[in-house]
Amino acid sequence: MLGHLDQGGDLLIRKLVRFLAAALVLALAGPAVAQTSIDEAERSIVRVVVILETAEGRMLYGSGSGFVVAPNLVVTNAHVVAPARQRPEYGIAVVPPSGEGLLTARIIAYSPLTELALLEFQGGGDTLEPVTISTVEPHTGDGVVALGYPDVDYQGATGADLLRPTPPSRTSGQIASLRDRAPTGDAIPTINHQAVISSGSSGGPLLDECGRVIGVNSWHVSGADTRETRGVSTRVSQLLQFLDEAGVSPNLSDERCLTFTE
């Protein structure tokens, strides 16, 4: 009988060791998985450029950011591509973070009120994978990451520099507040956040710390007296409505992004 108890005890110990080993692997893998997800999201970010066709050739008129939401489809801000809707001599292209150069694009959905536009581009192969969009409600204090091509990173760059494949810039911070209105006063659900953005970041995604889209960076504002700056993003609820009306079914996740402690 004593021998039987020893055998059972050995079995229990072996199970406990396996459990602890599995827990250790998960604990060590936690931050690496979150970091890898943001790295993967970076490969879905593009620079959106507006090009003026002249008798002397092509000229870069302006640029912003965007992200792939479905095969050959990119979301950006409406104001980034507005010139191409107003005058026929302006064209649109996207520049991926690596691989091929300029990819010709066209506007297939446009909403100036919500500051969103949907572009269809040609080429790119399988290098531009769609991002994942989070349907989890964000909270004040959550960590966030902004990806895009802010102009502050490209002081002194030439037009040719901006047309070459380049990885996006990454900044991070926390959600400062959630609002029901945009800085324009329009009834648009927004996220005010501390991740640094500037002109050129427009249309890039705001991500949770697991690399999933929770907003579209559309404005940056500063306090009248304090001059403290905030990035302002259109929230996912508005983005999903826009995509649904355009007939686009993006990759969605309803899983909450866990912190390192969790």
Side-chain angles (χ1 to χ4, degrees):
M1 189 67 176
L2 180 61
H4 179 69
L5 288 174
D6 285 345
Q7 185 178 9
D10 289 343
L11 180 61
L12 180 61
I13 290 172
R14 287 197 295 272
K15 287 183 176 180
L16 179 60
V17 169
R18 286 198 295 270
F19 172 79
L20 292 174
L24 180 61
V25 169
L26 288 173
L28 292 175
V33 170
Q35 183 66 33
T36 300
S37 296
I38 294 175
D39 288 345
E40 289 174 354
E42 284 188 347
R43 297 196 288 270
S44 304
I45 313 306
V46 299
R47 189 195 301 274
V48 177
V49 295
V50 176
I51 298 172
L52 174 61
E53 301 282 355
T54 69
E56 291 76 28
R58 283 180 162 183
M59 295 177 58
L60 180 66
Y61 177 79
S63 70
S65 304
F67 55 98
V68 180
V69 291
N72 294 95
L73 296 177
V74 162
V75 162
T76 188
N77 277 162
H79 74 260
V80 171
V81 295
R85 282 180 56 87
Q86 297 162 358
R87 298 176 62 178
E89 62 267 34
Y90 290 101
I92 303 171
V94 300
V95 184
S98 62
E100 298 182 39
L102 222 56
L103 304 174
T104 303
R106 66 185 183 95
I107 302 170
I108 60 173
Y110 185 79
S111 175
L113 177 62
T114 59
E115 261 297 357
L116 294 171
L118 183 66
L119 312 179
E120 182 180 41
F121 65 90
Q122 302 297 322
D126 299 325
T127 59
L128 290 170
E129 294 292 329
V131 296
T132 297
I133 298 174
S134 173
T135 58
V136 177
E137 189 71 16
H139 295 92
T140 301
D142 287 352
V144 293
V145 175
L147 297 179
Y149 295 91
D151 60 358
V152 69
D153 272 6
Y154 297 95
Q155 299 298 318
T158 66
D161 293 332
L162 301 182
L163 299 180
R164 296 191 188 100
T166 309
S169 176
R170 179 192 302 192
T171 59
S172 60
Q174 291 183 325
I175 294 177
S177 61
L178 302 174
R179 294 288 182 261
D180 294 327
R181 291 189 176 274
T184 58
D186 295 309
I188 302 172
T190 56
I191 300 172
N192 286 23
H193 62 85
Q194 299 167 331
V196 178
I197 62 174
S198 65
S199 296
S201 301
S202 295
L206 185 70
L207 311 175
D208 64 17
E209 292 181 313
C210 295
R212 298 171 299 204
V213 176
I214 63 170
V216 184
N217 287 317
S218 303
W219 304 273
H220 56 99
V221 296
S222 59
D225 297 323
T226 64
R227 310 310 297 172
E228 185 178 6
T229 61
R230 287 282 188 274
V232 183
S233 303
T234 303
R235 287 164 72 175
V236 155
S237 56
Q238 196 74 58
L239 171 63
L240 291 180
Q241 180 180 334
F242 173 74
L243 293 176
D244 182 64
E245 291 171 355
V248 178
S249 300
N251 297 331
L252 301 177
S253 172
D254 61 1
E255 295 181 357
R256 189 167 61 87
C257 183
L258 300 180
T259 65
F260 176 77
T261 302
E262 290 170 317

